[in-house]
mmCIF file of all heavy atoms in Angstrom:
data_model
loop_
_atom_site.group_PDB
_atom_site.id
_atom_site.type_symbol
_atom_site.label_atom_id
_atom_site.label_comp_id
_atom_site.label_asym_id
_atom_site.label_seq_id
_atom_site.Cartn_x
_atom_site.Cartn_y
_atom_site.Cartn_z
ATOM 1 N N TYR B 170 0.543 3.804 -124.667
ATOM 2 C CA TYR B 170 -0.771 4.198 -124.238
ATOM 3 C C TYR B 170 -0.726 5.453 -123.544
ATOM 4 O O TYR B 170 0.328 5.909 -122.983
ATOM 5 C CB TYR B 170 -1.444 3.102 -123.330
ATOM 6 C CG TYR B 170 -0.736 2.851 -122.056
ATOM 7 C CD1 TYR B 170 -1.077 3.460 -120.878
ATOM 8 C CD2 TYR B 170 0.349 1.910 -121.950
ATOM 9 C CE1 TYR B 170 -0.488 3.283 -119.703
ATOM 10 C CE2 TYR B 170 0.985 1.719 -120.764
ATOM 11 C CZ TYR B 170 0.549 2.362 -119.655
ATOM 12 O OH TYR B 170 1.254 2.078 -118.452
ATOM 13 N N ALA B 171 -1.869 6.215 -123.560
ATOM 14 C CA ALA B 171 -1.877 7.458 -122.905
ATOM 15 C C ALA B 171 -3.164 7.674 -122.117
ATOM 16 O O ALA B 171 -4.208 7.142 -122.419
ATOM 17 C CB ALA B 171 -1.790 8.651 -123.993
ATOM 18 N N PHE B 172 -3.094 8.502 -121.064
ATOM 19 C CA PHE B 172 -4.207 8.740 -120.252
ATOM 20 C C PHE B 172 -4.104 10.162 -119.541
ATOM 21 O O PHE B 172 -2.874 10.565 -119.459
ATOM 22 C CB PHE B 172 -4.517 7.690 -119.195
ATOM 23 C CG PHE B 172 -3.335 7.417 -118.209
ATOM 24 C CD1 PHE B 172 -3.216 8.120 -117.072
ATOM 25 C CD2 PHE B 172 -2.426 6.480 -118.536
ATOM 26 C CE1 PHE B 172 -2.162 7.839 -116.235
ATOM 27 C CE2 PHE B 172 -1.341 6.239 -117.659
ATOM 28 C CZ PHE B 172 -1.131 6.934 -116.576
ATOM 29 N N HIS B 173 -5.125 10.737 -119.215
ATOM 30 C CA HIS B 173 -5.064 12.086 -118.607
ATOM 31 C C HIS B 173 -4.703 11.948 -117.130
ATOM 32 O O HIS B 173 -5.258 11.172 -116.396
ATOM 33 C CB HIS B 173 -6.386 12.832 -118.758
ATOM 34 C CG HIS B 173 -6.325 14.204 -118.004
ATOM 35 N ND1 HIS B 173 -5.631 15.199 -118.568
ATOM 36 C CD2 HIS B 173 -6.881 14.615 -116.960
ATOM 37 C CE1 HIS B 173 -5.767 16.334 -117.807
ATOM 38 N NE2 HIS B 173 -6.508 15.876 -116.829
ATOM 39 N N ASP B 174 -3.679 12.715 -116.714
ATOM 40 C CA ASP B 174 -3.270 12.732 -115.279
ATOM 41 C C ASP B 174 -3.360 14.122 -114.867
ATOM 42 O O ASP B 174 -2.914 15.089 -115.449
ATOM 43 C CB ASP B 174 -1.777 12.245 -115.272
ATOM 44 C CG ASP B 174 -1.265 12.380 -113.793
ATOM 45 O OD1 ASP B 174 -1.661 11.639 -112.945
ATOM 46 O OD2 ASP B 174 -0.453 13.331 -113.667
ATOM 47 N N TYR B 182 0.290 4.630 -110.461
ATOM 48 C CA TYR B 182 -0.295 3.778 -111.530
ATOM 49 C C TYR B 182 0.438 2.530 -111.755
ATOM 50 O O TYR B 182 1.645 2.422 -111.383
ATOM 51 C CB TYR B 182 -0.429 4.528 -112.827
ATOM 52 C CG TYR B 182 -1.102 5.885 -112.765
ATOM 53 C CD1 TYR B 182 -0.402 7.095 -112.854
ATOM 54 C CD2 TYR B 182 -2.504 5.897 -112.705
ATOM 55 C CE1 TYR B 182 -1.100 8.274 -112.777
ATOM 56 C CE2 TYR B 182 -3.159 7.133 -112.644
ATOM 57 C CZ TYR B 182 -2.469 8.319 -112.692
ATOM 58 O OH TYR B 182 -3.106 9.446 -112.689
ATOM 59 N N SER B 209 5.002 6.472 -109.773
ATOM 60 C CA SER B 209 4.294 7.731 -109.516
ATOM 61 C C SER B 209 4.210 8.519 -110.915
ATOM 62 O O SER B 209 4.747 8.128 -111.848
ATOM 63 C CB SER B 209 5.100 8.584 -108.498
ATOM 64 O OG SER B 209 6.324 9.085 -109.083
ATOM 65 N N ASP B 210 3.466 9.623 -110.758
ATOM 66 C CA ASP B 210 3.269 10.430 -111.984
ATOM 67 C C ASP B 210 4.145 11.662 -111.994
ATOM 68 O O ASP B 210 3.897 12.634 -112.586
ATOM 69 C CB ASP B 210 1.817 10.915 -112.060
ATOM 70 C CG ASP B 210 1.408 11.797 -110.869
ATOM 71 O OD1 ASP B 210 2.238 11.776 -109.890
ATOM 72 O OD2 ASP B 210 0.343 12.357 -110.818
ATOM 73 N N ASP B 211 5.311 11.583 -111.284
ATOM 74 C CA ASP B 211 6.152 12.774 -111.190
ATOM 75 C C ASP B 211 6.649 13.265 -112.494
ATOM 76 O O ASP B 211 6.690 14.525 -112.690
ATOM 77 C CB ASP B 211 7.397 12.395 -110.256
ATOM 78 C CG ASP B 211 7.069 12.162 -108.827
ATOM 79 O OD1 ASP B 211 5.931 12.512 -108.476
ATOM 80 O OD2 ASP B 211 7.835 11.567 -108.125
ATOM 81 N N ASN B 212 6.920 12.422 -113.417
ATOM 82 C CA ASN B 212 7.420 12.817 -114.727
ATOM 83 C C ASN B 212 6.450 12.512 -115.842
ATOM 84 O O ASN B 212 6.894 12.274 -116.946
ATOM 85 C CB ASN B 212 8.786 12.200 -114.999
ATOM 86 C CG ASN B 212 9.822 12.638 -113.934
ATOM 87 O OD1 ASN B 212 10.000 13.811 -113.687
ATOM 88 N ND2 ASN B 212 10.550 11.700 -113.351
ATOM 89 N N TYR B 213 5.194 12.379 -115.492
ATOM 90 C CA TYR B 213 4.252 11.993 -116.560
ATOM 91 C C TYR B 213 3.329 13.177 -116.922
ATOM 92 O O TYR B 213 3.754 13.948 -117.921
ATOM 93 C CB TYR B 213 3.342 10.886 -115.925
ATOM 94 C CG TYR B 213 2.278 10.461 -116.975
ATOM 95 C CD1 TYR B 213 2.619 9.838 -118.126
ATOM 96 C CD2 TYR B 213 0.935 10.697 -116.762
ATOM 97 C CE1 TYR B 213 1.713 9.477 -119.083
ATOM 98 C CE2 TYR B 213 0.015 10.370 -117.676
ATOM 99 C CZ TYR B 213 0.383 9.711 -118.812
ATOM 100 O OH TYR B 213 -0.538 9.362 -119.704
ATOM 101 N N ASN B 214 2.327 13.456 -116.224
ATOM 102 C CA ASN B 214 1.411 14.582 -116.515
ATOM 103 C C ASN B 214 1.025 14.715 -117.947
ATOM 104 O O ASN B 214 1.158 15.705 -118.650
ATOM 105 C CB ASN B 214 2.065 15.887 -116.081
ATOM 106 C CG ASN B 214 2.349 15.915 -114.525
ATOM 107 O OD1 ASN B 214 1.616 15.341 -113.802
ATOM 108 N ND2 ASN B 214 3.314 16.665 -114.126
ATOM 109 N N GLY B 215 0.493 13.648 -118.513
ATOM 110 C CA GLY B 215 -0.149 13.639 -119.776
ATOM 111 C C GLY B 215 0.683 13.188 -120.950
ATOM 112 O O GLY B 215 0.255 12.961 -122.067
ATOM 113 N N LYS B 216 1.907 12.794 -120.728
ATOM 114 C CA LYS B 216 2.820 12.199 -121.782
ATOM 115 C C LYS B 216 2.370 10.742 -122.072
ATOM 116 O O LYS B 216 1.849 10.089 -121.269
ATOM 117 C CB LYS B 216 4.228 12.211 -121.314
ATOM 118 C CG LYS B 216 4.787 13.627 -121.004
ATOM 119 C CD LYS B 216 6.224 13.612 -120.605
ATOM 120 C CE LYS B 216 6.763 14.984 -120.292
ATOM 121 N NZ LYS B 216 8.188 15.009 -119.752
ATOM 122 N N VAL B 217 2.713 10.390 -123.294
ATOM 123 C CA VAL B 217 2.455 9.000 -123.669
ATOM 124 C C VAL B 217 3.461 8.089 -123.025
ATOM 125 O O VAL B 217 4.684 8.382 -122.991
ATOM 126 C CB VAL B 217 2.557 8.864 -125.221
ATOM 127 C CG1 VAL B 217 2.392 7.407 -125.614
ATOM 128 C CG2 VAL B 217 1.444 9.785 -125.838
ATOM 129 N N LEU B 218 3.051 6.944 -122.543
ATOM 130 C CA LEU B 218 3.942 5.972 -121.876
ATOM 131 C C LEU B 218 4.215 4.822 -122.868
ATOM 132 O O LEU B 218 3.339 4.277 -123.442
ATOM 133 C CB LEU B 218 3.302 5.467 -120.596
ATOM 134 C CG LEU B 218 3.111 6.460 -119.484
ATOM 135 C CD1 LEU B 218 2.520 5.727 -118.246
ATOM 136 C CD2 LEU B 218 4.304 7.222 -119.151
#
Side-chain angles (χ1 to χ4, degrees):
Y170 63 94
F172 56 92
H173 176 73
D174 173 73
Y182 304 104
S209 73
D210 62 349
D211 290 345
N212 299 310
Y213 178 67
N214 295 333
K216 297 178 182 178
V217 174
L218 296 186

